[in-house]
Amino acid sequence: MAEAERIIGTPDTPDAAGNGRERAGEDAAAAGASGTDEPAAAGRPRGKRRIAVLFAVASFAYALDLISKMIVVAKLEHHPPIEIIGDWLRFEAIRNAGAAFGFGEAFTVIFTMIAAAVIVVIARLARKLYSLPWAIALGLLLGGALGNLTDRIFRAPGVFEGAVVDFIAPKHFAVFNLADSAIVCGGILIVLLSFKGLDPDGTVHKD
């Protein structure tokens, strides 16, 4: 009799069936929380991808930088600087052939290639982006890089050698633009997120 039960198998008890239904419900709840129809696997980041947030932030930063440069070129270039806060902050249009804040004017083509590489890396990283703070940080980097890259490609003296339009001139500091500001803010945010142990896929690790 015992051998027959071993071969045929004993039916599930009510408690076992209830536990099975409870586990299925937990899996379904986890799947709903992750925004997918599949149960969340162990170790897999939960939540929705933040690609839309990344590109929304990047588009806003890029548009703001582009519009500000158009206004500066049309209204401020070849005109006296405009004082915003006395001589502590003023708007002064200059053309910068170097990197951010005027460094490295002899390496314009190299900086153009670096900016293009940064854009490619961010686009590839977007496929596994689940963290909202990382999406904002990378969006700022992407928008800033696109803003200055546009100047490198389309402004004089030529393609990939164009001078970037800078106009924000604090006292005793280099002149910069909104793209530079977006890049710096994005970089600072990435450093803070790294110190906190938050990865782009939404997981948190502790060293």
Side-chain angles (χ1 to χ4, degrees):
M1 183 68 176
E3 183 67 17
E5 289 179 352
R6 184 184 67 80
I7 296 174
I8 298 174
T10 57
D12 293 335
T13 62
D15 289 341
N19 290 337
R21 286 192 296 269
E22 184 177 351
R23 286 193 298 270
E26 291 174 354
D27 289 342
S34 65
T36 62
D37 294 333
E38 299 178 358
R44 178 179 176 183
R46 297 181 178 182
K48 296 181 180 180
R49 285 194 178 99
R50 302 297 183 174
I51 299 176
V53 176
L54 185 152
F55 286 112
V57 173
S59 299
F60 178 77
Y62 176 70
L64 202 61
D65 178 68
L66 186 63
I67 293 172
S68 66
K69 288 174 179 175
M70 292 173 62
I71 295 173
V72 167
V73 171
K75 303 295 185 180
L76 189 57
E77 200 166 35
H78 308 303
H79 289 80
I82 299 176
E83 293 186 349
I84 305 300
I85 307 177
D87 61 347
W88 289 96
L89 177 64
R90 60 184 185 177
F91 288 164
E92 179 181 3
I94 68 168
R95 297 295 182 111
N96 171 24
F101 307 112
F103 298 115
E105 294 188 4
F107 303 98
T108 305
V109 176
I110 295 177
F111 292 134
T112 302
M113 295 174 63
I114 292 174
V118 168
I119 293 170
V120 172
V121 170
I122 294 175
R124 291 176 61 87
L125 187 60
R127 296 179 299 177
K128 55 179 181 180
L129 185 62
Y130 287 84
S131 167
L132 179 60
W134 269 96
I136 295 173
L138 293 177
L140 290 171
L141 280 180
L142 181 59
L146 284 171
N148 284 339
L149 184 61
T150 300
D151 284 359
R152 302 290 188 197
I153 294 175
F154 295 105
R155 296 194 187 277
V159 178
F160 301 124
E161 297 181 352
V164 174
V165 176
D166 289 337
F167 63 94
I168 304 173
K171 186 177 182 180
H172 305 311
F173 197 73
V175 184
F176 58 97
N177 57 41
L178 294 182
D180 297 332
S181 301
I183 291 171
V184 171
C185 291
I188 292 173
L189 182 54
I190 287 175
V191 171
L192 294 176
L193 294 174
S194 299
F195 273 119
K196 292 182 64 176
L198 180 62
D199 291 334
D201 63 0
T203 58
V204 179
H205 67 272
K206 295 184 181 295
D207 296 332

